[in-house]
Amino acid sequence: MPAYAPEFNPQEGVWNLLKRRELKNRCCKDLSELEHELLLARARLRHRKQALRHCFVHAGYSL
């Protein structure tokens, strides 16, 4: 396995969903607001089971 292989890591897909979907167009004034928004985004993402499952399947894992 190569030293850096994001396509084999389902966590990369989850971060991509957080950045490009859940936190899209968010502008926080400080780190505490960013932390709060990240916690809310994570909670929303937990309910998107099909999207999370896709991250694992895309990385080559069977569920």
Side-chain angles (χ1 to χ4, degrees):
M1 193 181 239
Y4 179 68
E7 61 273 6
F8 296 125
N9 188 354
Q11 184 177 356
E12 294 289 335
V14 173
W15 274 113
N16 191 30
L17 281 171
L18 281 172
K19 288 188 305 186
R20 302 199 189 284
R21 214 167 162 94
E22 297 297 328
L23 294 173
K24 183 179 181 179
N25 295 326
R26 296 268 197 271
C27 185
C28 300
K29 61 183 175 188
D30 56 20
L31 286 176
S32 63
E33 186 179 349
L34 176 62
E35 180 182 16
H36 177 71
E37 289 293 331
L38 184 57
L39 290 173
L40 292 175
R42 184 183 69 175
R44 287 190 306 268
L45 192 59
R46 289 182 70 191
H47 297 289
R48 299 184 61 212
K49 295 187 186 312
Q50 187 64 29
L52 293 173
R53 191 172 289 123
H54 178 72
C55 292
F56 281 86
V57 170
H58 182 72
Y61 297 100
S62 61
L63 297 176

